[in-house]
Amino acid sequence: MKFYKNVYVGNSLKARREKVIEKLKKGKVQFSCYLIVLSSNPREQLECYDSILLLQKKWMPEPPLVVGIASSYVESLELIKQITEEAYLRYGEADLRKYILETQREF
């Protein structure tokens, strides 16, 4: 699993940020953990999944770029809103894919 250099983390997970990321990298199950990933389809932008799905290696052949981590679906939507606002402020449009890939290169 690959992680965005400036991964977004929901408020409820900020205290455990490093521990959660470390466990996900090791492939350990994280309950109540939703991952926002860059879509593998270039025409789409972001997708949100329960982390248990992404740990099933046959389900997703290539490891996705994890952009955000949240403890609930609602919190993941709040993170997507935050990403969208930042992308809009930077480019004047809501091209999240462009924003994420360009900021990833900057790090």
Side-chain angles (χ1 to χ4, degrees):
M1 200 172 293
K2 301 179 291 186
F3 286 84
Y4 179 58
K5 298 293 183 187
N6 192 22
V7 66
Y8 291 84
V9 179
N11 290 331
S12 62
L13 294 177
K14 284 192 177 182
R16 302 180 347 191
R17 178 184 191 273
E18 297 303 321
K19 192 175 279 189
V20 170
I21 291 173
E22 182 181 321
K23 287 182 179 182
L24 287 168
K25 284 181 179 179
K26 291 180 180 179
K28 294 187 178 181
V29 174
Q30 295 294 293
F31 295 102
S32 297
C33 184
Y34 286 78
L35 303 179
I36 302 164
V37 301
L38 192 64
S39 178
S40 59
N41 181 347
R43 293 181 297 184
E44 302 293 329
Q45 297 193 55
L46 299 177
E47 298 173 354
C48 181
Y49 297 106
D50 189 310
S51 65
I52 293 173
L53 286 176
L54 295 177
L55 296 175
Q56 298 176 13
K57 293 177 183 15
K58 291 182 181 179
W59 186 74
M60 191 168 276
E62 290 185 33
L65 176 64
V66 177
V67 176
I69 305 169
S71 65
S72 68
Y73 184 72
V74 171
E75 189 173 60
S76 67
L77 294 177
E78 291 170 3
L79 287 179
I80 292 171
K81 178 183 173 191
Q82 178 185 345
I83 296 166
T84 305
E85 289 171 350
E86 290 177 14
Y88 186 79
L89 287 173
R90 185 167 183 169
Y91 297 114
E93 61 184 5
D95 189 346
L96 307 184
R97 176 176 285 281
K98 175 182 172 183
Y99 173 72
I100 289 165
L101 292 175
E102 287 191 9
T103 55
Q104 178 77 351
R105 278 187 233 128
E106 291 174 7
F107 285 100

